[in-house]
Structure formats: C-alpha cells, structure tokens
Amino acid sequence: MDDKISVGKISVSSDSVSTVNSEDYVVVSHQGDDTPSTNNGSDDEKTGLKIVGARDQQQLQKELEDVLMDPSVEDQEVRGNHAEQVQTQVQTLEEVENSQSEVPLTADSFHTEPGTMFQKQSMSLPVKPVEEGSPDSSPSTPVPDEDSVVFSKLTYLGCSTVNAPRSETEALRMMAVLRSQSETETPLNVTLSVPNVSEGTVRLFDPDTNAEIANYPIYKILFCVRGHDGTPESDCFAFTESHHNAEIFRIHVFRCVIQEAVSRILYSFATAFRRSAKQIQFPVNPPPSTPDSDIFTFSVSLEIKEDDGKGYFNAVPKEKDKQCFRLRQGVDKKIFIYVQQTSNKELAIERCFGLLLSPGKDVRNSDMHLLDLESMGKNSDGKSYVITGTWNPNSPHFQAVNEETPKDKVLYMTVAVDLVITEVQEPVRFLLETRVRVCSPNERLFWPFSKRTYTEVFYLKLKPIERKERKSNSDTLYEVVSLESESELERRKTTAAPAVRLPQSGSQSSMIPSPPEDDEEEDNDEPLLSGSGDVSKECAEKILETWGDLLCKWHLNLSVRPKTLSSLVRSGVPEALRGEVWQLLAGCHNKDHLVEEYRTLITKESPQDSAITRDVNRTFPAHDYFKDNGGDGQDSLYKICKAYSVYDEEIGYCQGQSFLAAVLLLHMPEEQAFSVLVKIMFDYGLRELFKQNFEDLHCKFYQLERLMQEYIPDLYTHFLNINLEAHMYASQWFLTLFTAKFPLYMVFHIIDLLLCEGISVIFNAALALLKTSKDDLLLTDFEGALKFFRVQLPKRYRSEENAKKLMELACSMKISQKKLKKFEKEYYTMREQQAEQEDPIERFERENRRLLKANLRLEQENDDLAHELVTSKIALRKDLDNAEEKADALNKELLITKQKLVDAEEEKRRLEEESGQLKEMCRRELDKAESEIIKNSSIIGEYKQICSQLSGRLERNQSANRAEIEKIRKQVEVCERCREIFNKEGALKIPSCVKEGSEEETDEEKQELQNKLREMELELAQTKLQLVEAECKIQDLEHHLGLALNEVQALKKTWFNRTLSSIKTVTGTQGKETS
C-alpha cells in the first residue's frame, strides 16, 4: 500500500481531474514489497540499521530503530488506518442496504460545480455498487472486496498515444478525433468499474458476458477529462495512463448514452485519485439526521494569503507569542473562509451573499467594506464550504491595516461572511475578529514555518417556522433566533451568567482536526515531535546590514570565504538568509548540473520506494508544511529522498535522511535542497557513517566516549557503572545531525555550524548537551537515562534562550582535529586487536559474506553497464546510419544548390545588362527633356520681357499725352480768345456757320486719329496673341515633360517587375526540383 501513495493531490473541476505534481508528468510504477533490491534482500534489509562489532548487537539495533522511528506517530497512523477501515466497511454496508439491485442515480446526485444544478431529471444512469457475496458475482466481475462503482451504457471509442498526458488541450483534441472516427465504425459497448480508493483498479467489462476486457491500476492513471458543454464531445470523457511501466502515455475515450452521467463518472475518478490510505480520519459515527435541539454548531476558519511576486499566493504566518497574522505592507492578498457544520441536522449552504472586511473590532455594519468574490463552493471532500475573496490593501478603506505596525502594538481586523442557507429564512452573518501586524514589504517570508488559520466556533439557534406562516412552499424551515460565537460566550461567562444555556458540544468540535498545541507539558512522558518549534524571521537591523555587506563581498569572489564569516555563523545565521548562506557554504552556487540531474532522477524508479514513503509520513509531523498526508511538503520530501536513493546507489536511502532533507526543504526549493544534501553526504562525510556496517559510526561513538572521559569524567564513569554506551543515545545525533528530535531553532543553528566548520561540530553539540544535563543524568539509572535522552532532553531547548546558551557553550568548547585523529587511531588499533583475538574462521566467514554481497552488487552493476554498453552501441550505430543518410541527402542538395547558383548568376548578369541599357535610355531621355525645358524656359522669359516692355511704353505714352492735354487746357483757360473758342471740357465753341465749314477738316483729323488708334490696338492684339501662343507652347512643353517623366517611371517599373518575375520564376523552379 505504501508504495502507491506517490499519487499526488487531486484537483477537481467539472471538466477534468488530475494528480498534481511540480513536473509536467511523472510515471508512477507499481512496485510491490517483494521487489528484489540490489543487495539481494528486501528494502528494509538494505535501509535498516545493522551494526556489527558492538557488545550487544540486538540491543543496539533496537535502540537505533527506537530513536529513528516516532512511536507516537506510528500509533496515530495505526489508529487512523483502523478508523478508515471501519468507515469504509460502514459505507459499504450502507451502499448494500440502499441498493439491493440497480439503483437509478438521477442527475441531482451527480457531482457538479458549486451553485449549479442539472435540469434534466428524467434521465437516469444504472449504477451498481459491488456487493460482496452477491449471487451475480463471478470470476469475471470486479473483485468482491474492492470498493468500486460500476457504470453501464458506455461506448469505448478507442485509444491513442499522447505526448503530454496532463494537457487538457491535447486530451480534448484526441477526444474529438476519436469521436469523429467512431461515427463510421462499429461501436464497442462496455461496462466501466471505478474504485473508490487509490489502491484499486479501473476495469472494463463486456456487458453481455461480464468478461473482463482490460484493467488499469489507479496509480497508472494520470488525468481524466470530459468534453466541454455545447460541443459534440459533451457526452464523452477520457483518461490517460502510463503504458507498460514506460514513458509511453495513452488516452482512452468513452461516450455515455446518458450525457449527465459524465459528471458522476468524473467525480468517481476524483474520489479514486485521492490518497485516501492515510487521510486524517474523523469519527465513524455520522451526525444525527434529525436535530436533537435548536442549536446548530458551525466551525468557521480564516486564512490569509499574500502574493509572492511570482504569480502565486502563499499563506501568511501567525506569530506564536501574540497569535496574530503577520501581513506585508502593500502586497495583494486573498481571504479564504472555510465554513463547516459540526453538529445537528446538516443545513445546505446555497451561496455566499457577501464577503466584507474592516480594520478594528466591534465595528458597525456601515463600516464594513465589500470585497470582490473570486470563488465559492464546497471543497473536494464535500465537508467544508469555501469562500475566496480578493483584498486590495492599497484601498483607502484599508489604510489602517496597510501601515507598518510598531513592535509594541497589535491591530485588530474584522472579517464578515454572509451566507444564504436554503432552510433558513434570512442570510446568516459570521463575524471573525483577529489580530494582525503589518511589517515591511521587503521582509521575505520564504516558507510558511508557522502557518495557522484562525478558527471560531459559532452556535446558531434556529426556530422552526409554522407551515401557515411560510411565505411560499419553498424549502425555508427556520428563522434565526440568535447567533453567538464561542469567544462571546466565554466573555459573557467571565462578566455575568449567560441568559441562554448553550450545550458545549465538545465531542462534535473534536471532529475538526486542529494543529497540535505549541505549549506542551514538561512533565508528560510523550517525546517531543520532530519539527516542533517556530523560528522567527525577525532580526536586528544592524545584524542584517552586517550580513548584507558580507554577502556582497562574498559574491565578488565565491571561491574564498570572508574572514568574518566564522564568527558570524557562530552567532547564528539570520533565518531569512539561511537558504542563500547554506548554499554558499556548501559550495552549491555553481552546481547547475546537480539541478538538471535531479529533474531526471525523480522520473526513475527507486528500490527503496516503500521505505521512503513510510518514513516521509513520520518526518516532522509537528510542522505545518509536512503534517498533511499528500501535501506539498510530503510530496517534495518524497521526491528528494527518492532522487538521492537513485543518485547514490551504494548507500541508497537510509533512515534519518528524510529529517535532514526536510530541514533543507524549509529554506530552499527542491532542486537546491537536493544539491545541498548531496554536498553534505559526500563532501562533509556523512555518507561514510552508513558504509561498511556503520564502522565509521562506531568510531564516532568511541571518540565521543573518549571526549567525555576527558571533559566530563564523572558522567563518563556513571555511564560505565550503569552500562550505558554511546550508541544507545547518540545514534540519531550523528545519523540525523540532531534533526530528528530537537526543536528547529537549535537544529538550524547546528546546521549553520556544520556547513561552516565540518562534521566535527557534532561532538561540540553532543558534549554541550551532556555537560548541561550532567546533574540530572548522574541521578538516573539505565532506563531513566534512556528516557531522559528520549523525552526530557529535547524539551529543554524549546525555549530560544536555552538553545542560544547551549550553542554558545558548544562553540566555546575547543576540540582539536589532532585529538580526534588520535582517538580514531586508537579505535582502529583496538579493532585490529579484537580481530586478532577473534576466531579466524568466524572472521573469514564474515569477510566472505561481505565479499559475496559486494560481488553480487558488482555483478549487477556489471550487467547493467554491459546492457547499457550494448544499448549505446546499437543507438550509436543507428545514429551513424542516420547521419550517413543525412550526409548523402545533403550532398545531393549541395549539388542542386550549386547548379541553381550558376543559373542564378547568369540570370543576374543578364538582368544587370538590361538594367544598364534601361539606365542609359532613361538618362538620354532625361537629358533631352532637360534641354527642352531649358529652351522653353528661355523663350518664355523673352516673351515676358517683351510684354513688360510694351506695357511700360504704353503707360509712358498715355501719361505723356495726359500731361500734354492738361497743359493745353491750362493755356486755353488763360487766353481769353481761346476761352471763347473752347469750353471747360476742351470742346470747340464754333458758331453754326463755322461748323459746317470746318466739318470736313474735323473728320479728316478724327479719321487720322482713329487710324492711329486702330494700328496701336492691332499691335497690342498681336502682342497679346504672341503672349497667348507662348503660354500655350509652355503648357505643351510641360505636358511633354510630364509624359517623358511618366515614361521614364514606367520603364523603371517594368525593369523592376521583370527582375522580380525572373527571381520568382527561378525560385519556383528550384522548389519544384527540391520536392
């Protein structure tokens, strides 16, 4: 069962369900516990601790297993598994009682999105829960003891291979292809059996003969998707699976006769995908179906998540001492409200009417501000109603909770959620008041070390509505009498007696799993859970500045450690910088190849898969990041341990490695954590402790006892008197680097020193622990000392102050490497003497067994290498053949290309000649046009000059004539005689007698003057005519110039078009020859 828990968490929607992993897809191969390992034994034999050469081997083995395995966690797992088995049996019995034959499952019971409902209720799908001992069961029917649901009236449309098994787009595309192909082919009717647990198998049966056609274990199924509404594939669904334990993925497509059944089938797959084997179990007894009283109990939890700058939202932590959320200024946030009814008849939450927020407490309704709702509906297990809203902290309404809070102050914040409950007449409002602190936006909260949700229990008192008082025939049954929270009741108890006595439903409230209490009793006998203790990221500004300057200098030359580094590390690395500093100390800043190799290793199979899965569930159960079965923390931890077991084939995975990997995973992503783990195991010598039957580990025990003899002689003597040896209490100190039992603050500081100064720091920490506990240990006997090491000692250092004092003492103890080398030499000398005194036959037999194991391992490696060599040779030969074929094809293409190049050059020369001729012709035409333009311009200029001269001459003559006339007129006016003859206008005053005699003379003069005037007019008309002719000729020349320019432009375009046409013709010919 354990080796199948690698199926990840489940994401459920109306369209698809899938196992969620960080990589695109992972082939999860089924491997039973009887799979042979490389050491010709089981996984437990390889990963267990077998120590040879101690005085009491069985006792040593027992002690090592006791300290590496958490008994309390095992008990919880056993109790959880038992409760699950009971619950499964109860559910199966209920199904058998409710369905003795085919049960018509209407559309109302199908799994839908929250807030939606099917309208077609007349259609039904026969669903047959498998009954144990049914008379219809046969060897071809589903396994009787497998909890599953059978769906009939399905058509199998076919299967196809896919490259991305978790891609909904590709799955829908293949579904459409197979759906269209099925219209022309004979359909295959099948019956589908979907299990309700992740250890089951999906089976296909012939509906006529009940013969099994095919089966697919759940751990091989990676993705399930349905067709979108409004498309021809709306009545289809499909799932992808890994084929024959290889990286080949196939998709199987089905069509339902009843379209509404697709949602129910998808929900069954989601149920099967869940890692139900080790879920947190609730009591088997369900709440009563009818209300025992008028009080309904609800548990409402608040969780706040902040934008991490990478497109994701991470939960904000809560400070341990002040129990308040720690928010960052100016960062977008989301509010998550979880509502779960815990007692009385279950009420149906229809929708969320509004999500509101306001700074402060005891606020008025008018001061609450509405948040934008993002989603609402029941979660995947159907037990809690989840409301999600977005919170913009930069809004002026929330200014009070968006300003940095002083260290000595705490703010209050009120969140309200209005729910519409089907059976209740009016909406119900739940109010949550919590404390918050706002910190600088530059404070980096890498991992949620102390992630918490604020939970409040509410007691809703309802009053039944009489039928005659109901407004309509709706489902409304109750009206609200009162709604009080547990906090309000506690406050009322301290001030005055409550008016209404509400029952304290402790049994019901215990159904909700809550995180372990941070404050534990010192006197109890329960050991401290691994992963206990919260580590604050707060640090003095001066210390951060010092570390910032050091890191800047260090990054300039990563090959040389700064001189002040050692003294700063002894004081402890700031929690916010540990991830970066640990990678630099371990030398992983340029280990990109390990990161790439890790991504390859997690896709391979590990022979210790079951042992890894078992230990991952026991690692850091007290820490929020790792306590959830199937959570992100356990998934990441499983992949790191699995990758290392494949990477280091000689050692593989050993118990205790998961604790060290978990510590690293709390400070950095998976890839970097794996790189640092490899460096600690190889470069710091930790893997040497697991080699050669733990020979080096025994050497460390001897060195520790010799150091005790020197530094703490009285305690050393006491341990000799009570027969307490170092391996009985110090095994997990060396193998897990103190990470298995001690609080996290102390563990992180020890890892600081280890990465900076080496593995000898373990002796400093061990001696400091023994020295500070000497007075208590001197008063104990053998069993009391073991209990003290297991229970009381780790609890002493839950306080950060005690841990600081211990690490100061450890750093002050001087243990020279020369002394450790001396003790090591003494140990191996003593071992040689023991070997000489030992029976040679036994020694040779033991050595022979060791060599046989080594020989088997080497033979296996040799076979693997030979197989790999043959495979690589075949692959190289195939690649060489492909390369030769490709070279021949390229040579042919080269010859064709050369010929095309010659033709192109000839065409180019021809086009260049044509271009030169066209240019020459254009140049001649342009010169000719320019000369014509110049000639016309000169003519036009001359005509204009003549016209201007004539105009000037005419104007001068006219002005001279006017002046002469005016002069004569004045002379006439002066002369009396002339005045009598001429009037003022200049006309003659001639007597009538005279007039007749002088008419002939006057007519002659007039005629002469008219002739002169006519000549002048004729000359003027000729001049104007010449001017008009010149203008017409100018227009004609301009028209010819335009035609010449158009012709030149047309010639240019014709040449360019011909050039382009030639190039296109050559290109098209080449393309045809290539094809």
Side-chain angles (χ1 to χ4, degrees):
M1 182 181 293
D2 291 336
D3 58 344
K4 300 175 186 174
I5 308 299
S6 56
V7 179
K9 299 185 298 180
I10 308 304
S11 63
V12 183
S13 69
S14 64
D15 290 334
S16 64
V17 291
S18 170
T19 55
V20 180
N21 291 305
S22 61
E23 62 274 10
D24 290 338
Y25 50 83
V26 176
V27 182
V28 183
S29 298
H30 176 63
Q31 183 177 350
D33 293 334
D34 56 349
T35 303
S37 61
T38 57
N39 62 350
N40 200 21
S42 62
D43 293 341
D44 295 335
E45 291 179 358
K46 178 168 184 178
T47 59
L49 297 176
K50 293 187 177 181
I51 301 177
V52 180
R55 291 190 301 177
D56 190 347
Q57 303 299 328
Q58 295 180 353
Q59 182 182 4
L60 178 58
Q61 173 74 16
K62 183 177 182 298
E63 294 297 331
L64 288 177
E65 292 180 352
D66 288 341
V67 298
L68 290 177
M69 298 181 184
D70 193 346
S72 60
V73 178
E74 292 179 353
D75 295 341
Q76 294 173 4
E77 292 178 357
V78 172
R79 290 193 296 268
N81 292 335
H82 177 69
E84 180 189 8
Q85 294 173 0
V86 174
Q87 185 179 12
T88 304
Q89 294 174 1
V90 172
Q91 292 175 352
T92 305
L93 289 175
E94 290 176 353
E95 290 179 355
V96 172
E97 292 173 0
N98 294 331
S99 57
Q100 295 296 332
S101 61
E102 294 185 355
V103 179
L105 185 62
T106 62
D108 289 338
S109 63
F110 293 157
H111 175 69
T112 63
E113 285 287 340
T116 64
M117 182 177 294
F118 290 107
Q119 300 298 329
K120 298 179 181 180
Q121 299 185 3
S122 60
M123 304 185 71
S124 62
L125 173 71
V127 179
K128 307 173 184 178
V130 178
E131 302 181 15
E132 184 172 354
S134 173
D136 297 334
S137 62
S138 65
S140 61
T141 60
V143 182
D145 58 355
E146 182 176 80
D147 186 13
S148 62
V149 180
V150 179
F151 299 92
S152 59
K153 296 186 180 181
L154 302 180
T155 302
Y156 182 70
L157 304 183
C159 71
S160 176
T161 59
V162 291
N163 296 324
R166 289 196 179 92
S167 172
E168 184 174 356
T169 303
E170 184 169 357
L172 292 175
R173 182 178 62 84
M174 296 306 303
M175 186 186 298
V177 173
L178 294 175
R179 177 73 165 80
S180 61
Q181 293 178 355
S182 66
E183 296 178 356
T184 59
E185 299 176 358
T186 303
L188 175 62
N189 297 325
V190 296
T191 299
L192 179 69
S193 171
V194 182
N196 290 332
V197 294
S198 61
E199 292 79 16
T201 302
V202 175
R203 304 176 188 273
L204 297 181
F205 297 94
D206 187 340
D208 298 329
T209 62
N210 283 338
E212 182 175 321
I213 302 174
N215 61 78
Y216 311 98
I218 284 295
Y219 66 85
K220 284 189 177 182
I221 297 179
L222 307 177
F223 187 69
C224 185
V225 65
R226 63 168 296 177
H228 289 168
D229 293 336
T231 63
E233 296 78 34
S234 60
D235 58 348
C236 298
F237 71 95
F239 63 83
T240 58
E241 52 101 12
S242 58
H243 182 51
H244 292 306
N245 289 334
E247 294 187 4
I248 300 174
F249 304 96
R250 297 195 306 184
I251 182 170
H252 300 267
V253 182
F254 300 83
R255 181 169 60 86
C256 297
V257 176
I258 303 174
Q259 180 177 346
E260 288 79 2
V262 178
S263 298
R264 180 66 182 88
I265 296 173
L266 209 69
Y267 178 73
S268 297
F269 272 99
T271 304
F273 280 166
R274 294 194 190 98
R275 301 172 66 174
S276 57
K278 295 185 179 180
Q279 294 281 352
I280 298 176
Q281 298 298 324
F282 296 101
V284 176
N285 296 330
S289 58
T290 57
D292 296 332
S293 64
D294 54 358
I295 303 297
F296 295 77
T297 308
F298 289 86
S299 173
V300 183
S301 300
L302 167 66
E303 185 179 26
I304 306 175
K305 294 187 178 182
E306 288 182 336
D307 188 0
D308 61 356
K310 300 178 182 178
Y312 300 96
F313 283 81
N314 293 329
V316 301
K318 285 183 67 177
E319 293 186 359
K320 174 183 174 182
D321 51 350
K322 299 181 180 179
Q323 289 298 309
C324 64
F325 288 102
R326 189 171 183 83
L327 310 178
R328 287 190 291 169
Q329 183 181 5
V331 179
D332 291 340
K333 301 172 177 64
K334 287 186 179 181
I335 300 293
F336 290 80
I337 302 293
Y338 304 89
V339 182
Q340 181 175 355
Q341 184 178 348
T342 59
S343 70
N344 218 323
K345 176 184 178 181
E346 184 177 1
L347 302 177
I349 300 177
E350 184 175 335
R351 67 180 185 276
C352 175
F353 188 72
L355 181 62
L356 304 99
L357 186 143
S358 174
K361 66 175 182 177
D362 298 329
V363 297
R364 296 175 298 178
N365 293 336
S366 59
D367 295 334
M368 303 291 292
H369 302 283
L370 197 65
L371 299 180
D372 294 333
L373 285 175
E374 185 174 278
S375 64
M376 66 181 77
K378 287 195 174 184
N379 58 1
S380 58
D381 60 5
K383 296 178 181 178
S384 298
Y385 195 85
V386 185
I387 303 102
T388 306
T390 58
W391 169 15
N392 180 13
N394 298 319
S395 175
H397 304 302
F398 309 128
Q399 186 66 27
V401 288
N402 195 33
E403 297 177 349
E404 194 168 349
T405 310
K407 292 186 177 180
D408 56 343
K409 292 184 178 180
V410 174
L411 302 177
Y412 279 89
M413 182 180 74
T414 302
V415 180
V417 57
D418 295 330
L419 298 179
V420 177
I421 301 177
T422 304
E423 296 87 352
V424 182
Q425 188 172 13
E426 64 268 18
V428 180
R429 168 169 290 188
F430 295 102
L431 272 174
L432 299 172
E433 295 178 348
T434 181
R435 294 188 292 180
V436 298
R437 287 194 62 195
V438 184
C439 62
S440 172
N442 297 325
E443 182 171 349
R444 301 294 302 275
L445 303 177
F446 293 102
W447 300 99
F449 292 130
S450 55
K451 184 175 64 178
R452 292 287 189 276
T453 56
Y454 173 73
T455 303
E456 183 70 86
V457 178
F458 289 88
Y459 300 99
L460 176 63
K461 185 175 183 180
L462 300 178
K463 174 185 175 183
I465 301 177
E466 298 294 335
R467 183 175 297 274
K468 61 182 180 180
E469 296 178 0
R470 298 182 187 177
K471 296 180 181 180
S472 62
N473 294 327
S474 61
D475 296 332
T476 303
L477 303 175
Y478 304 100
E479 61 179 355
V480 178
V481 177
S482 64
L483 176 63
E484 293 180 297
S485 66
E486 197 170 30
S487 302
E488 293 176 351
L489 294 176
E490 293 295 332
R491 286 196 294 268
R492 286 173 52 186
K493 287 180 181 179
T494 56
T495 55
V500 180
R501 185 73 175 177
L502 296 177
Q504 301 296 328
S505 55
S507 60
Q508 288 86 351
S509 62
S510 64
M511 294 170 62
I512 305 171
S514 59
E517 297 293 334
D518 293 326
D519 299 327
E520 299 181 9
E521 294 294 335
E522 291 265 357
D523 300 332
N524 60 17
D525 293 337
E526 292 296 327
L528 186 67
L529 293 177
S530 62
S532 300
D534 294 329
V535 182
S536 175
K537 287 187 172 61
E538 292 186 358
C539 185
E541 186 176 355
K542 186 176 180 180
I543 296 177
L544 288 177
E545 290 178 357
T546 304
W547 273 98
D549 296 340
L550 182 138
L551 290 175
C552 290
K553 295 178 182 179
W554 198 355
H555 278 290
L556 296 177
N557 187 5
L558 294 173
S559 60
V560 179
R561 290 184 178 182
K563 295 181 180 179
T564 58
L565 178 64
S566 179
S567 59
L568 288 176
V569 171
R570 285 174 176 264
S571 301
V573 180
E575 178 62 19
L577 302 176
R578 274 199 168 105
E580 179 182 2
V581 174
W582 283 4
Q583 293 182 53
L584 292 174
L585 287 171
C588 294
H589 49 275
N590 57 353
K591 297 296 182 183
D592 294 337
H593 68 280
L594 283 177
V595 175
E596 295 299 327
E597 190 170 1
Y598 169 76
R599 294 167 183 165
T600 305
L601 292 172
I602 58 177
T603 62
K604 298 181 179 179
E605 294 299 323
S606 171
Q608 293 95 20
D609 188 87
S610 59
I612 294 172
T613 304
R614 182 172 58 252
D615 286 352
V616 162
N617 295 326
R618 303 169 177 168
T619 303
F620 284 4
H623 199 285
D624 290 338
Y625 189 53
F626 298 102
K627 71 178 181 180
D628 295 332
N629 289 331
D632 293 340
Q634 288 196 6
D635 285 342
S636 299
L637 184 58
Y638 167 80
K639 287 190 283 187
I640 290 178
C641 295
K642 173 186 173 183
Y644 184 82
S645 67
V646 179
Y647 178 82
D648 188 358
E649 295 181 356
E650 182 181 1
I651 299 300
Y653 172 78
C654 296
Q655 289 177 345
Q657 287 179 359
S658 59
F659 294 101
L660 179 57
V663 170
L664 299 176
L665 196 57
L666 289 174
H667 295 88
M668 59 196 76
E670 293 177 23
E671 294 84 354
Q672 285 73 22
F674 173 76
S675 301
V676 177
L677 176 63
V678 170
K679 297 291 287 186
I680 291 176
M681 294 296 292
F682 282 84
D683 295 355
Y684 287 82
L686 185 60
R687 72 188 298 270
E688 301 298 325
L689 302 181
F690 298 91
K691 294 171 61 177
Q692 298 178 358
N693 292 325
F694 302 93
E695 187 67 27
D696 194 61
L697 178 63
H698 281 287
C699 180
K700 293 290 189 292
F701 293 153
Y702 179 80
Q703 290 173 319
L704 178 60
E705 290 179 342
R706 293 285 284 114
L707 290 172
M708 285 180 58
Q709 186 178 3
E710 183 174 336
Y711 287 93
I712 323 171
D714 48 352
L715 185 60
Y716 173 77
T717 305
H718 177 67
F719 281 180
L720 287 179
N721 294 333
I722 64 175
N723 295 323
L724 184 65
E725 299 178 1
H727 65 81
M728 299 177 183
Y729 58 85
S731 298
Q732 59 93 13
W733 295 357
F734 288 92
L735 294 176
T736 68
L737 303 180
F738 296 93
T739 58
K741 293 295 181 184
F742 289 90
L744 291 181
Y745 180 87
M746 174 182 166
V747 169
F748 293 166
H749 202 158
I750 292 176
I751 301 299
D752 294 342
L753 296 172
L754 172 81
L755 293 172
C756 182
E757 300 183 7
I759 200 169
S760 61
V761 171
I762 302 177
F763 294 111
N764 296 66
L767 287 178
L769 284 171
L770 294 171
K771 195 168 186 179
T772 54
S773 307
K774 181 181 70 172
D775 295 339
D776 297 315
L777 289 170
L778 290 174
L779 301 176
T780 61
D781 55 6
F782 179 81
E783 294 181 356
L786 290 179
K787 181 179 178 181
F788 179 85
F789 282 116
R790 186 172 61 90
V791 180
Q792 280 84 13
L793 183 61
K795 289 184 179 181
R796 286 191 171 186
Y797 301 102
R798 288 179 297 179
S799 167
E800 189 172 316
E801 183 180 355
N802 292 343
K804 280 184 178 180
K805 291 180 180 179
L806 175 70
M807 298 314 299
E808 289 175 359
L809 177 61
C811 293
S812 64
M813 303 184 71
K814 304 297 181 182
I815 302 176
S816 65
Q817 293 295 326
K818 185 177 180 180
K819 186 178 297 184
L820 292 176
K821 289 289 185 182
K822 175 185 175 183
F823 295 156
E824 182 180 358
K825 187 176 180 181
E826 290 179 1
Y827 171 76
Y828 285 111
T829 303
M830 181 182 66
R831 291 290 294 164
E832 290 177 359
Q833 293 176 357
Q834 291 179 356
E836 292 176 358
Q837 297 175 1
E838 187 181 4
D839 188 1
I841 296 177
E842 295 181 358
R843 184 172 73 251
F844 290 148
E845 288 179 350
R846 185 176 66 252
E847 184 67 18
N848 184 44
R849 287 193 297 269
R850 185 183 66 80
L851 292 175
L852 286 174
K853 290 182 180 180
N855 184 45
L856 289 174
R857 179 175 57 82
L858 292 174
E859 286 180 354
Q860 182 65 35
E861 292 178 359
N862 184 46
D863 293 341
D864 294 340
L865 291 174
H867 177 70
E868 185 177 354
L869 179 61
V870 172
T871 305
S872 62
K873 283 185 177 181
I874 295 173
L876 288 174
R877 181 69 259 179
K878 186 181 297 183
D879 294 341
L880 182 59
D881 294 340
N882 294 335
E884 290 177 351
E885 293 177 358
K886 191 173 182 181
D888 294 338
L890 291 175
N891 287 330
K892 292 180 181 179
E893 291 181 4
L894 180 60
L895 294 175
I896 296 173
T897 306
K898 285 182 179 180
Q899 184 60 37
K900 291 180 180 179
L901 180 61
V902 172
D903 297 340
E905 289 178 350
E906 292 178 356
E907 183 69 16
K908 179 182 177 183
R909 283 195 297 271
R910 185 180 63 79
L911 293 175
E912 286 177 350
E913 292 175 357
E914 292 180 1
S915 174
Q917 295 173 1
L918 289 173
K919 288 181 180 178
E920 183 65 25
M921 184 181 66
C922 292
R923 186 183 60 80
R924 288 197 303 269
E925 293 293 331
L926 187 60
D927 292 342
K928 183 178 178 181
E930 288 178 352
S931 62
E932 291 289 334
I933 291 171
I934 293 172
K935 182 179 178 181
N936 294 334
S937 298
S938 62
I939 294 172
I940 292 170
E942 291 175 357
Y943 276 113
K944 287 182 178 179
Q945 187 177 359
I946 292 170
C947 292
S948 63
Q949 290 175 359
L950 291 174
S951 298
R953 182 179 174 184
L954 179 62
E955 288 177 358
R956 286 194 302 270
N957 290 335
Q958 289 178 352
S959 62
N961 292 333
R962 284 193 295 270
E964 188 68 26
I965 293 171
E966 187 67 27
K967 183 178 178 181
I968 295 171
R969 186 182 295 170
K970 288 181 181 180
Q971 290 178 357
V972 170
E973 289 178 357
V974 173
C975 180
E976 293 180 359
R977 185 178 176 183
C978 295
R979 201 166 40 236
E980 292 177 357
I981 298 174
F982 297 94
N983 57 14
K984 292 182 180 181
E985 287 79 12
L988 291 175
K989 294 180 180 181
I990 304 174
S992 60
C993 58
V994 181
K995 287 181 182 179
E996 294 177 359
S998 58
E999 281 181 359
E1000 295 179 0
E1001 296 179 358
T1002 304
D1003 293 337
E1004 292 177 358
E1005 291 178 358
K1006 284 184 178 180
Q1007 187 67 31
E1008 185 178 356
L1009 290 173
Q1010 288 177 354
N1011 293 333
K1012 289 183 179 179
L1013 181 60
R1014 193 177 295 112
E1015 290 176 357
M1016 293 179 67
E1017 288 178 350
L1018 181 60
E1019 186 179 358
L1020 180 61
Q1022 290 177 352
T1023 305
K1024 289 183 177 180
L1025 180 60
Q1026 292 175 355
L1027 179 62
V1028 171
E1029 290 177 352
E1031 289 179 351
C1032 291
K1033 195 169 185 178
I1034 289 170
Q1035 291 180 357
D1036 192 20
L1037 291 173
E1038 288 179 349
H1039 177 66
H1040 284 297
L1041 178 61
L1043 292 176
L1045 292 175
N1046 290 335
E1047 185 178 357
V1048 172
Q1049 188 68 24
L1051 290 173
K1052 288 183 179 179
K1053 290 184 178 179
T1054 303
W1055 169 80
F1056 184 70
N1057 290 333
R1058 289 175 62 186
T1059 305
L1060 287 178
S1061 300
S1062 301
I1063 293 174
K1064 289 180 179 178
T1065 303
V1066 173
T1067 306
T1069 305
Q1070 292 175 359
K1072 291 179 180 179
E1073 292 177 358
T1074 304
S1075 60

